[in-house]
Amino acid sequence: MPVTPGRSSRTGSTGRDTDPGPAGRRAREADDTRTGANQEAKPMTTSSAQDRAELLHKLGLDTQNKGPIGRVITTGNIEQAKEHEDGTMHVRLRINPDEIAWDPAVIVMPHGGDLEIEIFNDDLNTHCALFPSNGDRKFIWLVNHSRGRAKLNLDGPGYYWFSSPTGNDEGRGLTGAIVVLGDVPPEARLDRPEQPRP
């Protein structure tokens, strides 16, 4: 197949690479520069909390419908549960309009115990809430503009996950964490010598 005059071609009639000439080589180099070909990829890593926040924002992972459909887990607000005189704790959890994300995304309990969560669905869509709890998980159906309450018992330190497992809510960002601070109670510790602590 003959080459049309005025057009550069990388392959001739034999299918092998042909020399496009000086003008063609300059055009190819300019095209490679525009597309980023032959350039070394720069890794995107973070070394501080500020770097992490900036990179999350740059990649569109800290908001709804920017990078992926949903925001990355636990990139929202953090709130410590309020403790009452009887030792029980309370926190308010909200789904804001058109965000498909929990607010706060991370709930912190200062120690293990009973936690009451008051949930508000301010969104125009129906969602639900599935929470961890000793004995059995707690499920609450949340139609649009509704509210509900869940009483949980989490007596051990660690991370616990909660979500809205309806439709694609979890994939779109309705996943959060409950962090229980403190140490393992003496009756649950392994029988071994004291270990070094940081």
Side-chain angles (χ1 to χ4, degrees):
M1 179 173 138
V3 178
T4 306
R7 293 185 182 172
S8 62
S9 172
R10 293 191 185 194
T11 58
S13 59
T14 61
R16 292 189 299 245
D17 284 344
T18 58
D19 185 2
R25 282 193 295 274
R26 284 193 298 276
R28 186 183 297 172
E29 287 167 4
D31 186 51
D32 287 347
T33 302
R34 276 194 306 275
T35 60
N38 300 325
Q39 293 182 9
E40 196 174 314
K42 295 179 181 176
M44 298 178 119
T45 59
T46 61
S47 59
S48 70
Q50 181 65 31
D51 290 344
R52 179 180 184 273
E54 289 173 4
L55 186 56
L56 282 169
H57 184 70
K58 179 178 179 181
L59 297 174
L61 302 177
D62 62 346
T63 189
Q64 196 72 19
N65 296 326
K66 192 172 178 187
I69 293 175
R71 70 167 46 169
V72 172
I73 185 170
T74 69
T75 56
N77 295 329
I78 300 172
E79 185 171 334
Q80 184 167 342
K82 293 180 179 128
E83 190 169 2
H84 301 297
E85 290 182 6
D86 61 358
T88 61
M89 289 158 273
H90 177 268
V91 71
R92 285 187 173 173
L93 186 63
R94 193 174 296 275
I95 303 171
N96 294 316
D98 299 323
E99 287 191 13
I100 319 293
W102 297 110
D103 185 17
V106 179
I107 298 168
V108 180
M109 295 172 61
H111 56 78
D114 294 320
L115 173 68
E116 182 181 60
I117 302 178
E118 196 174 1
I119 312 117
F120 297 86
N121 180 12
D122 295 332
D123 196 24
L124 297 175
N125 295 305
T126 297
H127 302 289
C128 65
L130 182 64
F131 295 105
S133 184
N134 289 337
D136 198 5
R137 294 180 293 178
K138 306 291 181 178
F139 179 86
I140 297 176
W141 192 251
L142 297 164
V143 298
N144 52 326
H145 296 292
S146 66
R147 67 186 256 187
R149 281 181 196 274
K151 293 186 177 181
L152 317 180
N153 179 266
L154 300 170
D155 61 0
Y159 295 95
Y160 301 86
W161 304 103
F162 63 92
S163 66
S164 172
T166 183
N168 189 30
D169 281 358
E170 291 174 312
R172 296 174 66 196
L174 266 175
T175 305
I178 300 172
V179 180
V180 181
L181 304 179
D183 207 345
V184 176
E187 63 272 13
R189 294 179 192 168
L190 295 174
D191 185 17
R192 63 179 184 178
E194 283 291 323
Q195 301 297 305
R197 303 293 295 261

